[in-house]
Amino acid sequence: MSKMDLHMHSITSEDGQYTVEELIHLAQQANLEIIAIADHNTVKAAQYAQTLQSPIKIIPAVELDCTFEGHNLHLLGYGIDLNHPGFHEVEETIMTQMKQMKDIQVRKIEEMGIIIDKEQLEKQCPDGIVVGEDIAEVALQDPRNDNNPVLLPYRPNGARSQNPYVNFYWDICAAGKPAYVPIHYPTIEEAIQLIHEAHGICVLAHPGNNFKNHPEIVEKILQLPIEGIEAYSSYHTYEQMAYYQQLADQYHKIVTLGSDFHGKTKPSIHMGSIDSLKDENMIRTDFLNYLKNGCF
């Protein structure tokens, strides 16, 4: 088990299950010493975490959705000034779009023959922001869908049952899939600029998950002014870890490790469960030195 986990989500991410206090408690149980709550496009939970007396070191962080050459990706920002107004602007812009896309996405999923209990969905998402994982949970719990062949892979023992809700998102709601509804995200260059303006460092999140069929894109991104790559992720095989570690060395980037823990939307992912091929003390030292020295 690792002593550091730099990628987890709270309920502020919409697809997260736990409050900040619960995350800290779970991190203590996992014997973690350093964590980062990197919610999607918002720093609200990270701001709140900084007000708590925590026995664990909590790194200010965010995970920004952005685009590069037509691909959607995630960029982690660490050591950021959580009060930078740019983060509020990003959150408002993306949340507004998410509220607007909800009905369109639900309709597309219904057209696939899946019954969606809209009343239950509204109860589950009272703020009006619905993600694919929410829709999956409501659909899979509705007995009217028990024999729906589209949902069989996400049920127990199905081919996609390991993380059923998020796999539903990737298979049905992600870019290029049947129920995809486009959202305008900032470019990676804009995301890098924002994180650097907030005195943070930029780390490419779980590239094996976003670019499994396009490794050449990762090399292009590493030529941009980012500081690191999340080489050690719950999603990566040992072969991928070795590959991304080699790329980090080649492009003189630091490496980080993070589980991307959410809770019920990714039940097979656990805090601190990431293995690394590089000594974790070296990873931690390099990472903390970058934060201290503002190397960008």
Side-chain angles (χ1 to χ4, degrees):
M1 296 287 285
S2 303
K3 296 294 184 183
M4 178 171 71
D5 190 335
L6 297 175
H7 192 164
M8 63 183 65
H9 294 267
S10 78
I11 56 173
T12 310
S13 280
E14 302 301 331
D15 55 355
Q17 180 180 356
Y18 297 104
T19 65
V20 172
E21 288 90 348
E22 289 169 333
L23 288 178
I24 293 172
H25 177 67
L26 290 170
Q28 284 183 275
Q29 290 183 321
N31 295 316
L32 292 170
E33 297 173 355
I34 301 175
I35 66 172
I37 301 172
D39 281 320
H40 297 294
N41 308 305
T42 177
V43 296
K44 287 178 179 175
Q47 286 175 321
Y48 176 64
Q50 297 301 307
T51 69
L52 302 177
Q53 293 293 322
S54 172
I56 298 172
K57 184 175 181 64
I58 304 176
I59 305 296
V62 69
E63 184 176 23
L64 297 178
D65 283 272
C66 52
T67 63
F68 179 73
E69 295 188 353
H71 297 273
N72 291 343
L73 63 124
H74 296 159
L75 189 69
L76 293 157
Y78 293 113
I80 53 176
D81 174 4
L82 297 169
N83 295 314
H84 190 290
F87 295 119
H88 176 72
E89 294 171 9
V90 166
E91 178 182 7
E92 286 297 307
T93 299
I94 293 177
M95 293 304 107
T96 297
Q97 292 181 78
M98 291 183 71
K99 290 178 181 178
Q100 293 170 344
M101 67 170 268
K102 177 191 68 174
D103 293 339
I104 301 173
Q105 189 159 70
V106 168
R107 185 172 67 250
K108 287 189 173 188
I109 292 172
E110 288 178 324
E111 290 171 355
M112 297 174 65
I114 299 172
I115 297 172
I116 305 297
D117 186 332
K118 297 184 181 66
E119 184 176 336
Q120 180 58 36
L121 192 61
E122 289 182 7
K123 289 180 181 178
Q124 187 162 309
C125 308
D127 60 1
I129 297 174
V130 175
V131 294
E133 292 88 341
D134 295 317
I135 299 172
E137 183 175 2
V138 169
L140 286 166
Q141 291 177 353
D142 193 322
R144 294 174 294 177
N145 290 316
D146 283 352
N147 297 314
N148 190 309
V150 179
L151 295 177
L152 288 179
Y154 311 101
R155 298 197 181 279
N157 301 316
R160 300 289 280 163
S161 62
Q162 187 180 31
N163 289 310
Y165 301 153
V166 73
N167 284 337
F168 177 96
Y169 164 79
W170 285 112
D171 297 343
I172 294 176
C173 302
K177 303 301 180 178
Y180 174 64
V181 180
I183 288 181
H184 177 72
Y185 294 120
T187 65
I188 191 172
E189 291 84 359
E190 291 169 332
I192 291 170
Q193 181 179 349
L194 171 56
I195 291 169
H196 283 173
E197 285 180 354
H199 309 294
I201 63 173
C202 303
V203 173
L204 177 64
H206 43 61
N209 196 36
N210 292 87
F211 300 108
K212 60 188 71 176
N213 298 320
H214 300 280
E216 73 284 356
I217 299 295
V218 178
E219 293 203 46
K220 288 185 179 181
I221 292 173
L222 291 179
Q223 296 175 53
L224 299 175
I226 69 173
E227 286 67 58
I229 180 171
E230 191 178 52
Y232 302 109
S233 166
S234 299
Y235 307 111
H236 293 170
T237 64
Y238 279 103
E239 291 76 15
Q240 287 175 313
M241 291 178 188
Y243 173 65
Y244 294 127
Q245 177 66 68
Q246 178 268 320
L247 281 185
D249 294 339
Q250 178 182 343
Y251 288 96
H252 307 290
K253 308 294 184 182
I254 62 169
V255 295
T256 64
L257 68 170
S259 65
D260 198 14
F261 176 78
H262 284 67
K264 65 182 179 181
T265 60
K266 300 181 181 182
S268 69
I269 293 177
H270 306 283
M271 280 190 192
S273 60
I274 321 97
D275 294 321
S276 61
L277 306 178
K278 183 177 180 179
D279 181 78
E280 187 179 330
N281 288 328
M282 294 179 63
I283 295 174
R284 174 163 48 184
T285 298
D286 290 345
F287 173 73
L288 294 177
N289 282 342
Y290 259 78
L291 290 185
K292 179 180 179 181
N293 297 325
C295 298
F296 52 81

